Amino acid sequence: TIVQQSTVVKFAPHSIFYSSTMSILQYNGGAVIAMAGDNCVGICSDLRLGVQAQTVAMDFEKVFPVTEKLYIGLTGLASDVLSVNQLLNFKTKLYKLRENREIKPEAFSAMLSSLLYEKRFGPWFTEPVVAGLGEDGKPFLSGLDLI
Amino acid sequence: MDSVISLVGKDFGLIAIDTNSPRSVIILKNDLNKYIEIGKNKFLAVSGHPGDVSQFTDFIQKSIQLHSLKIGIPLSTHAIANFIRKEVSFCLRKSPVKINLILVGFDDSIGSSLYLIDYLGNLQRMNYCAQGHTSLLVFSLLDRHFQKEMNIEETIGLLVKCIGVIRNRFLINQPNFLIKIIDSKGCRGLGVL
């Protein structure tokens, strides 16, 4: 599912005590924000990698470049952040080889959406945010949930 | 239950692993080697369910050996870490392996590096790491005293401090810690602490 907004915020809050009802999306913790401006977009993420309440590392970036003008931020389970990023890398490179041009943000967002829905009954535990500039510098933002 | 503490210094990596093998409330064996050596100077310390530990690490070691034989050049630490992560995340949705791994390796081009691979397939390159319940005790000590590019004496001093805290505060008695050093000459044991 895709939701297009001017500001998209996704976060998985840290909880102090272990709770058996805690979602797996909150296991590692993370936040990504993207915002659109005048012919520009910005995207940022926190750098914490945690295991429930314990912080393991403070250099885990959650924003990755796709093309020069397209970035993706992935929150949720860190393992799936890495896996989905590697999958997207693979697919965009294949796209570039086949179509001989860079992927547009709208097409990328649609591709990501179908990639996530493919795993509808055993999903990737990650909620992405796409931020990029389309044709003639028009900003594009979209946020997706895990399916 | 297992404790692993690992640090990276100037051109070497140091790792301390406890050698207990517990089964519920009994210690079966107190000189167990919970690690494997991959190649000449890559070292993998594992903690987790005993069956998964032995099966998965054997699989990793032999796969990497096969790969190195096929392509003729040994894999770098970064490549090995990503390979292990891929295998763990692959198994995650089929039959999860409940093991956590710390990979320490020395490459001539980049020096020493340390990678933490979680049972869920999280991969993180770090300068120091602790695994197990004792990580709750040891991480704060390492955050405070760790500096980049320490020499061997300083690193061992820091390890001794960490093990002291574990002996002081951890409920489970872990009398022996095996210390291993990984540098350009390979993996060597520095004795038992």
Side-chain angles (χ1 to χ4, degrees), chain B residues 86-117:
Chain B
K86 186 202 84 171
E87 291 298 329
V88 172
S89 67
F90 212 62
C91 297
L92 181 64
R93 284 174 161 85
K94 284 197 220 159
S95 49
V97 272
K98 203 137 202 307
I99 63 175
N100 300 315
L101 306 103
I102 291 185
L103 175 71
V104 183
F106 182 85
D107 303 297
D108 292 317
S109 45
I110 58 168
S112 53
S113 46
L114 189 154
Y115 290 88
L116 167 69
I117 301 142

Side-chain angles (χ1 to χ4, degrees), chain A residues 49-86:
Chain A
L49 177 71
V51 170
Q52 274 148 207
Q54 184 185 40
T55 301
V56 170
M58 282 305 297
D59 57 0
F60 183 61
E61 286 179 23
K62 301 174 189 70
V63 175
F64 307 98
V66 176
T67 74
E68 227 178 45
K69 291 191 177 169
L70 185 57
Y71 279 76
I72 180 161
L74 293 153
T75 58
L77 191 65
S79 168
D80 285 352
V81 164
L82 295 168
S83 297
V84 169
N85 182 40
Q86 283 165 1

Side-chain angles (χ1 to χ4, degrees), chain A residues 99-119:
Chain A
E99 308 237 345
N100 247 337
R101 62 183 175 92
E102 300 284 9
I103 190 167
K104 284 200 203 129
E106 294 84 0
F108 178 77
S109 203
M111 175 175 81
L112 179 54
S113 176
S114 66
L115 193 157
L116 293 170
Y117 197 78
E118 220 180 330
K119 300 273 185 190

Side-chain angles (χ1 to χ4, degrees), chain B residues 51-122:
Chain B
D52 285 338
V53 164
S54 45
Q55 293 282 47
F56 192 74
T57 53
D58 271 348
F59 168 66
I60 293 286
Q61 190 180 39
K62 302 311 175 210
S63 305
I64 291 174
Q65 220 169 349
L66 180 65
H67 192 263
S68 311
L69 286 170
K70 266 195 211 170
I71 64 172
I73 39 174
L75 285 175
S76 67
T77 319
H78 179 78
I80 293 176
N82 275 291
F83 173 75
I84 297 174
R85 183 207 102 80
K86 186 202 84 171
E87 291 298 329
V88 172
S89 67
F90 212 62
C91 297
L92 181 64
R93 284 174 161 85
K94 284 197 220 159
S95 49
V97 272
K98 203 137 202 307
I99 63 175
N100 300 315
L101 306 103
I102 291 185
L103 175 71
V104 183
F106 182 85
D107 303 297
D108 292 317
S109 45
I110 58 168
S112 53
S113 46
L114 189 154
Y115 290 88
L116 167 69
I117 301 142
D118 214 341
Y119 70 101
L120 294 167
N122 303 330

Side-chain angles (χ1 to χ4, degrees), chain B residues 37-42 61 64 187:
Chain B
E37 295 180 19
I38 305 177
K40 186 178 149 227
N41 32 28
K42 319 279 187 284
Q61 190 180 39
I64 291 174
C187 310

